[in-house]
Amino acid sequence: MADCYWITFLVVLFCLVGALDASAGDADPLYRACFGQCKETGCAGEICFAHCNTPLNGSSSDDNWYLKEPLYMWLKQVNCLSDCQYHCMLQRETERATHGFGPVKYHGKWPFKRVFGLQEPVSVAFSALNLAMHLHGWLSFFTLIYYKLRSNADETTYYNYTSLWHIYAFLSINSWLWSAIFHGRDMDFTEKLDYSSAVLLLGFSLIVSVLRSFSVKNEATRVLVAAPLLAFTITHILYLNYYQMDYGWNMKVCVVIAVSQLLIWSIWAGISHHPSRWKLWTVVVGGGLAMLLEIYDFPPYQGLVDAHALWHATTIPLTYIWWSFIEDDAKYGTSNSSKKDE
């Protein structure tokens, strides 16, 4: 029954991927006219940007002045193109609201209100909290492994998956760091680093789920299992960065990897006698329900909170429970290994 549920969920998500790619705001002729004029003059309506180096001879459309900004402006992530998009979007949404129309997406994103220069402030805050939860969980795990479970005789630990969880922690912290940066300012390189970090984390998480669920402890066997999965993950990342940033294909790949993990962990929790399997079930069920927020996409409330931001919020408590399970698994694994050596 669980398999049927996840397969149905996967099929429905694939059917909705096409809808996620569409951006009605991009086709709006009034928005396009505003954006085109802003690129030429540095002004969106009555709002002009002092940091835009607009030519005085009126030939800006041929000179691509917006691509010649000083490097320090790009480092501060204040560039003319993004400001033109943002203010033209706000002006068009204000006009649409006066005529009773709801918000639409622009360049694949809902219209958000900037706060302190951050494009999606709520998602930034939740991403930072997720980063903090992973950091806290890893530090707690580190303390448990090296100060509480270490053998006094040879100063080693009996837990066989320590190194895997260290790598997982590093990839998680890296992923949420770039998530916060990307939601703060959507630029080409922040987008690629965010997507690449998320895919790498998902791929390695799948490897960990296979190795832990099947109790793979032999190093050679681990390499044989991890190599093809890691190769596919890296190939997909290279495809996104150097061939085509295909959002629809990336969504499908990420969903397949995520659902595969949930299935593996749920089956293992059902057949194992792990004392903390209820925590694993909580994360599996909670993670599956949280993914629905990625499907039920709705405009941001007050221009601040959308479904994606709420998804980031749901992962915060799940992260705490997840690291709690990892610590319990370390205790459980150490206890079993110690008994076998006695």
Side-chain angles (χ1 to χ4, degrees), residues 98-225:
T98 58
H99 292 86
F101 296 107
V104 294
K105 288 187 176 182
Y106 298 81
H107 306 284
K109 284 180 169 289
W110 289 113
F112 286 90
K113 294 180 181 178
R114 291 181 181 177
V115 177
F116 300 114
L118 301 177
Q119 289 181 322
E120 300 177 41
V122 176
S123 290
V124 171
F126 288 149
S127 295
L129 287 174
N130 273 284
L131 188 157
M133 292 304 299
H134 276 287
L135 181 60
H136 174 271
W138 174 68
L139 290 176
S140 181
F141 174 75
F142 185 92
T143 302
L144 175 69
I145 290 294
Y146 294 104
Y147 293 96
K148 297 180 181 180
L149 298 181
R150 184 188 292 271
S151 171
N152 293 327
D154 52 7
E155 295 187 354
T156 58
T157 176
Y158 287 104
Y159 189 55
N160 296 288
Y161 306 96
T162 301
S163 59
L164 292 176
W165 291 123
H166 284 330
I167 298 174
Y168 170 81
F170 172 78
L171 294 179
S172 297
I173 293 171
N174 174 73
S175 179
W176 285 111
L177 172 64
W178 285 111
S179 174
I181 295 174
F182 170 65
H183 287 301
R185 198 67 166 183
D186 182 357
M187 300 176 68
D188 183 62
F189 80 94
T190 60
E191 178 185 55
K192 288 182 177 180
L193 285 169
D194 175 50
Y195 277 67
S196 300
S197 298
V199 172
L200 185 59
L201 174 60
L202 277 174
F204 187 78
S205 298
L206 177 60
I207 293 173
V208 173
S209 68
V210 173
L211 297 182
R212 179 62 190 94
S213 298
F214 290 92
S215 299
V216 181
K217 301 176 182 179
N218 181 269
E219 291 298 329
T221 306
R222 287 185 175 186
V223 172
L224 289 176
V225 173

Side-chain angles (χ1 to χ4, degrees), residues 11-12 20 25 50-51 78 87 92 109-110 115 119 128 139 141 148 194 217 248 255 257-258 273 278 296 338:
V11 171
V12 171
L20 295 176
H51 58 272
V78 180
H87 287 282
R92 188 66 190 112
K109 284 180 169 289
W110 289 113
V115 177
Q119 289 181 322
L139 290 176
F141 174 75
K148 297 180 181 180
D194 175 50
K217 301 176 182 179
V255 168
I257 295 176
H273 299 286
W278 69 269
Y296 182 62
S338 300

